[in-house]
Amino acid sequence: MLQNLDRLDLLIAHYVAGSFPEPVHVLVGSYLEMQAPAARFAQTLEELAGTTLRESEPLAVASRDRRLREIFASAPLPPELEPKPSHGASFPASLLAYAGIDLSGIPWKTRLPGFRRHVIERSREVEASLLWVRPGRALPRHGHRGLELTLVLEGEFHDHRGNFGQGDISIADETLDHRPVAGEQGPCICFTVLFAPIVLSGSPWRLAADILGI
Amino acid sequence: MDLDKKDHFVSLAKAVACERDQMAFAALFDYFAPRLKSWLVKRAMKPDEAEELVQEVMTILWHRAHLYDPAQSSLSTWLFRIARNRRIDTERRARHQRMDAYEPLFLVTEAPGVDTLFEREERDARVRAALSKIPDEQMELVRAAFFLGQSHSEIASSTGLPLGTVKSRIRLAFERLRRALEEPS
Ligand SMILES: [Zn+2]
Ligand SMILES: [Zn+2]
């Protein structure tokens, strides 16, 4: 679903500039692996950034000769790691490298009935995790205290904004309250990065039912 | 002029890759190291830390120049990506002291195999045409976003423009670029 196109453009622009912490950089990079048109847009911005760099004003390097000597004397770098072709999985290579796992080996923890999670990293800035949601299951209605980026890796989910399918990014923030529901066709697997914990909202009965997954 | 410069960089990189030519490398260092340093300092890095990171980037060029493919991108773009990824990596290392050997951020998303060279050249021509029609006032703001990573509000405060103006100019410029990329060939 293409909503928030200008926010997506800005997300890609900031990815190109490298202004995101690693988990978000990986999320946008994974998105680019899944969406060829967005990857072309990113490549164009990267070429423009390269041109800007080439034409920018230099700032003198203080110890030029020493640095050159050190570079020439440096040991060869280890060979570049090839992204491992993951068997049968469609997970983006940058996500697999970052998460350090393959699709068959995700150590899921059940959070609620029909809802599993694997936290990849938790820092002061962000929490990055993989989510698995049973077909048709609703997640409890919640609001956000900061940005929530969700990339759909497999399956789909919908909320009042519309449908998010494989390779779509949902951008949620303080202004959004939603109740995501996994599609009926199969489990919905997502990679999500939160800048602040979510806050449950909505009627207590609905909430109780969604927590139980009924 | 600019094209000559680009070709010149490509032949220097080739000399580094194939002949381990130190003079060629020094020429690339003298051109790019001070510009990479300037970019990092603009991104709020301390000058001495910036120089350390520039040395890391240029060390990668020295050892891996054979991985640079001029058909995929210009040398300045290749170096920009490495510097960007190293900068993120430095922040990660500072946060986690997680020193595992993997280098996820060096993987470069090139969307390989989606276009033929012909399609790429055609598209590049469309993009150049679209770019020439984007007014400077829009381009300047967009550049602040993809080169310096500034948010709308940072751009507004550094340029003194109202936030609404910043948003609409950036949106217009990006729309133009997207349309140029999506046009069927
Ligand atoms: Zn949410
Ligand atoms: Zn529904």
Side-chain angles (χ1 to χ4, degrees):
Chain A
M1 180 196 166
L2 275 189
Q3 57 134 30
N4 280 326
L5 194 59
D6 35 312
R7 296 187 72 174
L8 266 178
D9 283 347
L10 210 62
L11 207 63
I12 294 173
H14 288 174
Y15 165 88
V16 166
S19 0
F20 291 129
E22 189 192 24
V24 182
H25 193 81
V26 172
L27 187 140
V28 180
S30 304
Y31 165 70
L32 297 176
E33 282 184 51
M34 298 175 86
Q35 303 272 15
R40 287 194 198 99
F41 182 65
Q43 267 175 40
T44 303
L45 294 186
E46 283 178 340
E47 278 298 332
L48 291 174
T51 305
T52 308
L53 177 74
R54 193 169 58 236
E55 286 162 7
S56 63
E57 287 300 313
L59 179 61
V61 169
S63 24
R64 179 229 183 230
D65 292 350
R66 173 172 69 81
R67 299 206 179 268
L68 274 175
R69 266 199 316 278
E70 286 180 10
I71 292 172
F72 293 141
S74 63
L77 300 171
E80 181 86 346
L81 294 179
E82 292 289 324
K84 266 178 259 149
S86 38
H87 34 92
S90 55
F91 272 27
S94 37
L95 174 59
L96 289 174
Y98 161 67
I101 46 173
D102 68 47
L103 191 53
S104 56
I106 301 172
W108 295 113
K109 290 213 165 65
T110 299
R111 292 272 298 157
L112 299 169
F115 174 38
R116 304 174 196 158
R117 185 173 69 165
H118 166 60
V119 177
I120 302 169
E121 101 168 73
R122 199 177 267 140
S123 69
R124 245 176 299 122
E125 299 169 277
V126 292
E127 180 185 277
S129 41
L130 294 169
L131 308 177
W132 182 99
V133 187
R134 186 179 68 203
R137 193 201 202 285
L139 293 185
R141 171 175 285 280
H142 61 270
H144 312 84
R145 287 195 200 124
L147 205 56
E148 173 199 76
L149 298 172
T150 306
L151 172 68
V152 181
L153 300 168
E154 242 179 76
E156 56 176 34
F157 79 85
H158 67 268
D159 59 22
H160 64 280
R161 296 170 298 171
N163 201 54
F164 295 85
Q166 195 173 40
D168 283 339
I169 285 189
S170 147
I171 305 174
D173 65 10
E174 293 88 340
T175 64
L176 183 92
D177 222 62
H178 66 161
R179 178 172 174 268
V181 184
E184 297 287 347
Q185 298 311 315
C188 181
I189 303 179
C190 298
F191 173 37
T192 185
V193 179
L194 284 171
F195 282 79
I198 56 164
V199 217
L200 295 182
S201 59
S203 86
W205 291 114
R206 166 61 90 192
L207 214 51
D210 283 346
I211 286 171
L212 295 172
I214 50 179
Chain B
M1 166 64 191
D2 190 46
L3 269 179
D4 287 354
K5 217 197 263 174
K6 267 166 117 169
D7 286 345
H8 183 52
F9 292 144
V10 168
S11 56
L12 289 173
K14 209 173 268 167
V16 171
C18 305
E19 286 139 46
R20 314 298 290 144
D21 184 334
Q22 297 198 352
M23 296 275 278
F25 181 81
L28 288 172
F29 184 96
D30 287 337
Y31 191 86
F32 284 107
R35 286 173 172 83
L36 288 167
K37 180 181 172 185
S38 160
W39 178 68
L40 290 165
V41 169
K42 273 187 221 138
R43 307 294 309 270
M45 196 176 251
K46 291 194 202 95
D48 51 329
E49 284 171 21
E51 263 197 52
E52 281 300 321
L53 203 141
V54 169
Q55 182 173 343
E56 261 186 67
V57 173
M58 297 310 285
T59 304
I60 291 172
L61 174 64
W62 174 241
H63 290 293
R64 288 183 177 158
H66 60 282
L67 293 179
Y68 165 62
D69 176 4
Q72 293 286 331
S73 60
S74 66
L75 185 67
S76 56
T77 302
W78 195 71
L79 290 171
F80 174 79
R81 282 202 194 104
I82 296 175
R84 171 194 74 193
N85 294 353
R86 283 283 136 183
R87 182 174 164 274
I88 297 171
D89 207 44
T90 306
E91 283 174 9
R92 172 176 71 88
R93 276 178 286 174
R95 266 204 328 267
H96 295 277
Q97 278 93 43
R98 199 173 90 180
M99 293 299 285
D100 29 357
Y102 89 108
E103 288 182 65
L105 293 171
F106 196 62
L107 301 175
V108 172
T109 38
E110 287 277 16
V114 279
D115 314 294
T116 64
L117 196 63
F118 174 72
E119 284 169 333
R120 275 175 63 114
E121 276 168 4
E122 244 210 39
R123 199 178 65 238
D124 288 352
R126 279 203 305 274
V127 169
R128 268 196 304 277
L131 278 173
S132 68
K133 283 184 211 130
I134 297 176
D136 287 349
E137 51 172 41
Q138 287 175 18
M139 209 49 216
E140 199 185 313
L141 302 188
V142 168
R143 199 173 285 124
F146 68 71
F147 189 62
L148 299 177
Q150 292 181 329
S151 67
H152 282 146
S153 48
E154 283 166 340
I155 296 171
S157 68
S158 71
T159 57
L161 290 168
L163 189 59
T165 310
V166 170
K167 281 187 180 172
S168 62
R169 281 189 192 170
I170 288 181
R171 196 180 54 236
L172 284 172
F174 278 159
E175 262 172 28
R176 277 211 164 101
L177 270 181
R178 268 197 185 269
R179 235 178 294 134
L181 286 169
E182 281 159 13
E183 251 168 48
S185 32

